[in-house]
Amino acid sequence: MSQSPVIEFKGLVKKYRDLTAVDHLSFVIERGKITGLLGPNGAGKSTALKCLLGLATPTSGEALIEGTPYAKLHNPLARVGAVIEDAGFSPSLSATKNLRIVAASAGIPDSRVAEVLAMVELDHAAKKKSKEFSLGMKQRLSLAGALLGNPEILILDEPSNGLDPIGIAWLRKFLRELADQGCTILISSHQLAEMQHTVDDVVIINRGSMV
Ligand code: ADP
């Protein structure tokens, strides 16, 4: 039996009216590696990731996770964790409460919330309201949310946006440890120089196509 690639883009096209945001994008991602999806702003990175996560419908082609569209995955939160744009946390709720809501929606036990907060080193801020978080803390809270289901695949859209050098170094080390434990990570960024120290493989796109 042939095993499907962990993530595969197969001739993915996404058009918004006259604009082709993603144009016949095809590539495969290796298991247990950190792959950077790099390209300038507007290149189509977010759109490609949204198609992969079932948040946008491809015009044609496919984006698959282990051979299956995200929407058809069994127990998706335990398979794929994602940090895309604003995670939608309630500003007036604590970090713990926000994560408990996500956990409850996915049938994940409350005890996991403290575990993921400790993983991203936010245990000291567990009771703090998320509106009181710095940008870096918000990024880590989103990451904690993505880790709730202990997923084998992690998809991050511009996770280092707004992070200071210490935050970026922290994220790099954190992602490397996850990958060393077998997690497959796909991470988008427009900052090529910064990403070269973080990723094992790169896919560079411009105007929706691989270059
Ligand atoms: P990147 O993530 O690489 O910055 P995006 O995928 O966000 O690029 O955007 C690719 C192109 O698609 C841009 O020209 C953007 O303006 C356009 N676009 C993205 N989302 C939408 C949308 N919902 N409706 C119309 N155009 C969009």
Side-chain angles (χ1 to χ4, degrees):
M1 200 181 90
S2 70
Q3 203 186 19
S4 300
V6 59
I7 290 174
E8 181 172 22
F9 289 85
K10 282 170 96 170
L12 180 71
V13 176
K14 177 63 183 180
K15 294 186 181 178
Y16 294 109
R17 294 171 180 265
D18 297 341
L19 179 102
T20 305
V22 177
D23 195 2
H24 295 92
L25 191 62
S26 296
F27 62 91
V28 167
I29 284 181
E30 275 190 58
R31 202 171 293 274
K33 290 213 167 153
I34 305 178
T35 302
L37 180 61
L38 306 182
N41 283 323
K45 304 178 299 292
S46 294
T47 304
L49 296 183
K50 281 182 186 156
C51 288
L52 182 62
L53 292 163
L55 300 170
T57 312
T59 305
S60 62
E62 296 175 298
L64 303 173
I65 292 168
E66 277 155 6
T68 308
Y70 181 90
K72 290 191 180 156
L73 283 179
H74 176 66
N75 201 2
L77 281 190
R79 311 284 295 283
V80 186
V83 178
I84 289 255
E85 287 174 357
D86 187 7
F89 292 123
S90 299
S92 56
L93 295 183
S94 69
T96 296
K97 283 207 174 122
N98 267 302
L99 291 181
R100 277 189 184 165
I101 291 169
V102 182
S105 74
I108 295 164
D110 272 1
S111 56
R112 177 70 179 154
V113 169
E115 281 175 27
V116 293
L117 282 173
M119 280 172 80
V120 301
E121 295 171 26
L122 278 181
D123 27 355
H124 63 284
K127 289 184 181 158
K128 217 177 164 103
K129 289 177 181 160
S130 67
K131 69 179 171 197
E132 292 162 13
F133 276 26
S134 69
L135 185 56
M137 289 166 82
K138 280 186 186 149
Q139 300 272 40
R140 280 189 279 157
L141 183 58
S142 300
L143 195 53
L147 294 169
L148 276 170
N150 195 21
E152 66 233 41
I153 299 166
L154 199 56
I155 296 170
L156 309 170
D157 194 13
E158 299 274 0
S160 54
N161 256 0
L163 291 188
D164 58 21
I166 292 171
I168 290 168
W170 178 88
L171 182 69
R172 183 176 296 154
K173 183 165 166 278
F174 186 80
L175 295 180
R176 177 55 57 197
E177 283 168 13
L178 284 177
D180 286 347
Q181 290 160 26
C183 192
T184 303
I185 301 171
L186 176 58
I187 174 171
S188 83
S189 178
H190 64 278
Q191 288 159 309
L192 270 94
E194 179 190 291
M195 277 298 120
Q196 66 186 8
H197 303 295
T198 306
V199 302
D200 302 307
D201 284 332
V202 287
V203 173
I204 299 181
I205 66 169
N206 194 21
R207 296 191 197 158
S209 307
M210 205 160 119
V211 292

